Amino acid sequence: MRDPREASVIAVESRRARAAVKRAIEAGERTPLVVALRAWREANSAEASLRVTEFLGSIGGIGAVKVPRILTELGISPRKRLGGLGARQIEALSGWLRARAPHENEPLHRARLVVVAGPTAVGKGTVVARIRETYPDVKFSVSATTRPPRPGEVDGEHYLFVTEVEFDQLVETKQMLEWAVVHGQHRYGTPRGPIDAALNGGSSIILEIDIQGARQVKNAMPEALLVFLLPPSWDELVRRLQARGTESPEEQARRLETAKVEFDAQSEFDVTIVNDDVDAASEAVVHLITDI
Ligand code: 5GP
């Protein structure tokens, strides 16, 4: 049995979280559609636990008289919570929300350039791999590098493996959105063409690059969203670097030196996400593309 005191603390916290969601809708900080989509994607979220009556009541211009009328029209019981709606009710409510404010559909589909960076060994690669698996439609930039391929790496998929001369040419012909020497060794850069093509075609795209590169992207495209992945702690970062065993002890030491400097860059970023759980971190990154 759960301790009743613990249960009441949880109840207070979830009430507070729900109140914050309502306030955000009332203040126009979050659109009702974005809140509803989050509720339907995440069963344990504060959004999902919001009663449909509270949800509709927090939308500007919808008062106590209109709420029951709308619910009857949509075939939804006033006792329901957003997260407890059936497929048909979700369809009805999302259709109603979209029809009510057609302009709100647009930001949901606005193409965004999202840059994921963070200190070495924070698990950027793992988070990105999880997003690729779970959301195959999300586009990723494929970087060019002068580093030789590791076993299992495929040219054109993990990286474009190029020679020093080819890299020079890409830079000289202004085909790189950004580039940097990473860990004092090899050059890595983001080819500009696929980024422009994705954004012009209305698709968001994710870049997984180092911090120097992230800064250059922000300079070139201030509308880019910079995401900083953090490890749960410094000790955990050291442990992850040692555990993956892909670097020699000298290389590990070099990467930890870089990581110390990189930690200090987090204030330059728009969003920080702690990578203590790969699923949660990758979901959080994907939400940045689908939510405004
Ligand atoms: P690795 O050699 O382990 O694949 O990658 C080393 C580092 O290079 C990672 O921190 C990664 O974020 C960074 N990196 C990969 N691609 C790019 C890129 O296109 N530009 C920049 N600036 N860094 C990159």
Side-chain angles (χ1 to χ4, degrees):
M1 266 261 301
R2 189 191 264 165
D3 178 343
R5 275 166 310 181
E6 190 192 328
S8 74
V9 169
I10 294 172
V12 169
E13 276 170 9
S14 32
R15 216 169 26 238
R16 267 198 207 129
R18 284 200 300 275
V21 175
K22 282 194 284 181
R23 272 198 308 275
I25 301 176
E26 281 158 8
E29 288 161 14
R30 297 180 74 194
T31 69
L33 185 56
V34 160
V35 168
L37 289 175
R38 170 71 60 88
W40 297 328
R41 238 189 343 245
E42 258 182 61
N44 295 326
S45 60
E47 289 83 351
S49 65
L50 207 60
R51 283 193 196 281
V52 284
T53 46
E54 297 177 291
F55 169 69
L56 289 175
S58 57
I59 303 176
I62 299 182
V65 179
K66 280 195 193 158
V67 170
R69 220 186 283 156
I70 296 166
L71 288 175
T72 310
E73 186 192 317
L74 298 175
I76 299 173
S77 151
R79 283 191 309 278
K80 285 273 183 189
R81 294 182 188 271
L82 268 185
L85 299 183
R88 224 174 272 151
Q89 293 171 324
I90 289 179
E91 204 184 314
L93 181 53
S94 72
W96 182 85
L97 289 167
R98 286 177 207 274
R100 188 192 139 263
H103 62 279
E104 283 176 12
N105 296 337
E106 207 187 311
L108 277 174
H109 301 293
R110 197 176 75 189
R112 285 199 138 173
L113 180 64
V114 175
V115 178
V116 178
T120 185
V122 69
K124 278 176 292 179
T126 321
V127 169
V128 164
R130 183 61 52 87
I131 299 174
R132 280 183 193 272
E133 260 167 49
T134 324
Y135 301 93
D137 293 341
V138 172
K139 288 190 168 31
F140 283 92
S141 154
V142 179
S143 299
T145 182
T146 56
R147 156 168 93 58
R150 295 191 186 123
E153 284 185 333
V154 179
D155 188 32
E157 191 181 314
H158 297 96
Y159 281 104
L160 298 165
F161 294 101
V162 297
T163 62
E164 296 288 346
V165 173
E166 286 167 335
F167 202 99
D168 284 342
Q169 279 167 354
L170 288 168
V171 174
E172 277 160 24
T173 52
K174 307 227 176 325
Q175 291 186 65
M176 288 299 202
L177 174 62
E178 61 75 36
W179 70 271
V181 175
V182 182
H183 303 304
Q185 263 190 322
H186 302 292
R187 286 188 288 174
Y188 296 79
T190 306
R192 191 187 290 272
I195 307 291
D196 290 344
L199 296 176
N200 292 338
S203 299
S204 294
I205 185 158
I206 299 182
L207 274 60
E208 188 258 290
I209 61 177
D210 90 318
I211 286 168
Q212 314 165 66
R215 285 192 185 117
Q216 293 177 46
V217 172
K218 193 73 180 177
N219 277 338
M221 303 174 82
E223 67 280 14
L225 192 70
L226 262 49
V227 181
F228 195 88
L229 274 191
L230 274 173
S233 67
W234 176 261
D235 289 349
E236 176 62 17
L237 182 93
V238 176
R239 199 195 61 72
R240 285 181 192 176
L241 184 64
Q242 287 166 349
R244 76 179 179 189
T246 44
E247 286 85 11
S248 63
E250 299 77 48
E251 178 61 17
Q252 284 180 14
R254 185 162 49 215
R255 289 193 175 215
L256 282 177
E257 277 309 305
T258 316
K260 277 190 202 140
V261 179
E262 288 171 337
F263 249 85
D264 295 336
Q266 45 179 298
S267 59
E268 298 168 40
F269 281 66
D270 300 305
V271 181
T272 49
I273 294 174
V274 178
N275 182 22
D276 49 3
D277 175 275
V278 177
D279 282 324
S282 52
E283 279 285 313
V285 173
V286 172
H287 281 158
L288 296 171
I289 299 178
T290 47
D291 284 9
I292 295 295

